[in-house]
Amino acid sequence: MTKGENINLFNALSDKKLGQLSGAKFAYAVAKNLGLLQPEIEALKKALEATDEFQKYDKARVELAKSHAKKNDKGEPETTKNAQGQETFVLEDQEAFDKAFETLKEEHKATLEARQKQVDEQNELLKTESTVILHKVALSDVPNAITADQMKGLSAIVEEAVLSP
């Protein structure tokens, strides 16, 4: 498995609904694999942590958007949700914001280039093979109440051929 696939598996194993399923061997396999994957997941998160310089840029970017946002009755910036469900500011003058934003990006060009390099390296790292050896569980030990979506996420630790002692 790749490091990226391990992130997906870790997220699937962390699903709170799995905790509602019964079966000692299945629960053990979930807990064991979470423990095996945790150090790798933490290392991957650490590799993508934003630098202080990027955090300063990002704070300035948000402040810029706030300053160009329409204000409500209380003088607070208006927001809306975008297609991804993220909250964004409703801009008063998109053209003025775009111009100011380009200036901000130019001022922080080196920081943005360094961040892009960091993201590119992280993406390459996610494609590399993981050295984590997963604890497998027999299909017969998987609770019957598991959903197809849950099984899809956990398929890497489930084996039909594993004999249940």
Side-chain angles (χ1 to χ4, degrees):
M1 288 182 61
T2 66
K3 293 178 186 299
E5 290 169 331
N6 278 352
I7 291 173
N8 294 336
L9 176 59
F10 184 82
N11 290 336
L13 291 169
S14 299
D15 183 356
K16 299 252 186 264
K17 293 177 185 172
L18 280 183
Q20 298 169 357
L21 299 176
S22 61
K25 291 177 184 175
F26 178 74
Y28 177 78
V30 169
K32 178 84 172 170
N33 285 309
L34 281 170
L36 291 169
L37 292 168
Q38 183 77 34
E40 184 167 280
I41 301 304
E42 287 175 4
L44 291 169
K45 283 181 181 178
K46 184 128 179 92
L48 196 56
E49 281 181 2
T51 62
D52 290 343
E53 293 82 17
F54 184 80
Q55 289 178 18
K56 288 176 189 172
Y57 156 77
D58 199 45
K59 185 176 179 181
R61 180 189 60 81
V62 170
E63 289 303 317
L64 179 68
K66 280 182 185 178
S67 71
H68 284 284
K70 290 182 182 177
K71 307 294 189 269
N72 63 18
D73 299 346
K74 298 175 184 175
E76 299 167 344
E78 289 184 22
T79 61
T80 188
K81 293 209 184 269
N82 65 15
Q84 293 81 27
Q86 298 170 320
E87 208 167 297
T88 60
F89 294 104
V90 177
L91 299 175
E92 197 161 27
D93 181 350
Q94 182 72 48
E95 192 175 314
F97 170 76
D98 289 344
K99 185 176 179 183
F101 187 47
E102 286 303 316
T103 302
L104 179 68
K105 289 193 299 188
E106 191 59 39
E107 291 170 5
H108 294 273
K109 187 176 182 176
T111 298
L112 292 173
E113 287 173 354
R115 178 63 175 175
Q116 187 58 53
K117 182 179 181 214
Q118 182 185 23
V119 169
D120 292 345
E121 288 172 355
Q122 172 78 355
N123 288 336
E124 286 304 311
L125 181 61
L126 292 176
K127 295 175 189 175
T128 63
E129 286 296 312
S130 172
T131 58
V132 175
I133 299 171
L134 299 171
H135 179 81
K136 303 292 183 169
V137 63
L139 179 59
S140 61
D141 291 324
V142 175
N144 290 333
I146 196 165
T147 67
D149 282 342
Q150 289 171 324
M151 182 62 90
K152 181 181 173 188
L154 302 177
S155 63
I157 67 165
V158 177
E159 286 190 354
E160 290 181 58
V162 173
L163 297 176
S164 179

